Amino acid sequence: TPPLGNLTAPNFFNTDAELLAGTSALYNKVWFGANAQALLSFGDGRAGNMHTPYNSNWQQFYQFTVSNTNSDLRNAWNSYFTVIAQSNVLIYNVNTYAKPAVSVAAKNRAIGEARYLRGLSYSYLVQNWGPVPIITDNLKQGGDTTLTRNTIETVWEFVIRDLQAAKDLLPASSPVGSGRLNAYSAKGMLARFYLT
């Protein structure tokens, strides 16, 4: 019997508003491991723009001695793959469970947001780790111990495909004050990726 007091994917996604609420998590805590300290380490640390004798994690980045036990490195890796996993689940849930009352525009926006943020996560991964595995189906690939890393070129191809799709799926504008992605967000990031 489906639980009546709890939200699950099969009994959610009934309206455009529920779909919009379902994508909110992609803008939130899933990024914390990367946004907290790691972006400073990856950017300013490796660029030589910081000197912090009290933070050994940061020291490793500006001294180019980063070990695999560095918590900024680990937290960012986990954060990016959490965003990817959540994006994959959202795409699956929208395609599988969205009810007939949900508009095509709402579905497109949700999938566009998920593809944008998944592509953005992979861009950070490939820029900081090089070849990484591409996961698009958590259920099929999540437990696959034979999954190998993709080449840098194929990861960038995947990132660009996700951003091209997001550009076409997202609306031209976002509600004022919403902080939501739109087609111009995707076009701007896509331009950056082409330059990279």
Side-chain angles (χ1 to χ4, degrees):
T1 304
L4 301 176
N6 299 316
L7 292 175
T8 61
N11 67 19
F12 196 62
F13 304 118
N14 297 303
T15 65
D16 288 7
E18 286 184 0
L19 194 58
L20 192 65
T23 62
S24 295
L26 291 176
Y27 291 88
N28 204 328
K29 187 159 174 64
V30 291
W31 290 97
F32 184 75
N35 289 344
Q37 303 286 331
L39 287 180
L40 288 171
S41 298
F42 292 170
D44 289 320
R46 287 193 294 200
N49 291 337
M50 67 166 57
H51 177 72
T52 55
Y54 57 87
N55 187 322
S56 62
N57 281 333
W58 289 355
Q59 285 175 356
Q60 289 180 20
F61 280 91
Y62 68 74
Q63 293 172 350
F64 299 101
T65 59
V66 181
S67 75
N68 62 356
T69 60
N70 184 294
S71 61
D72 288 348
L73 191 72
R74 182 183 63 248
N75 292 341
W77 174 272
N78 290 340
S79 183
Y80 296 137
F81 273 108
T82 298
V83 172
I84 290 163
Q86 292 296 322
S87 297
N88 290 341
V89 167
L90 181 68
I91 292 167
Y92 174 83
N93 285 344
V94 169
N95 287 328
T96 306
Y97 299 117
K99 307 301 184 289
V102 177
S103 70
V104 171
K107 290 178 190 176
N108 286 345
R109 174 187 277 278
I111 293 170
E113 288 174 315
R115 291 198 67 179
Y116 177 104
L117 295 169
R118 182 176 71 182
L120 181 62
S121 293
Y122 271 114
S123 77
Y124 284 126
L125 285 166
V126 74
Q127 289 176 80
N128 290 293
W129 282 273
V132 294
I134 294 176
I135 298 172
T136 57
D137 186 327
N138 301 349
L139 297 174
K140 289 181 183 173
Q141 296 172 287
D144 185 353
T145 57
T146 64
L147 195 63
T148 59
R149 297 181 299 166
N150 291 70
T151 64
I152 291 172
E153 294 78 15
T154 56
V155 175
W156 275 115
E157 287 173 15
F158 182 80
V159 167
I160 288 171
R161 276 198 310 272
D162 259 357
L163 267 288
Q164 287 172 334
K167 170 184 65 72
D168 296 336
L169 292 167
L170 290 168
S173 63
S174 301
V176 175
S178 70
R180 294 283 182 152
L181 296 166
N182 60 44
Y184 290 99
S185 308
K187 289 177 184 180
M189 194 58 75
L190 188 56
R192 178 181 174 194
F193 293 160
Y194 282 138
L195 289 171
T196 302

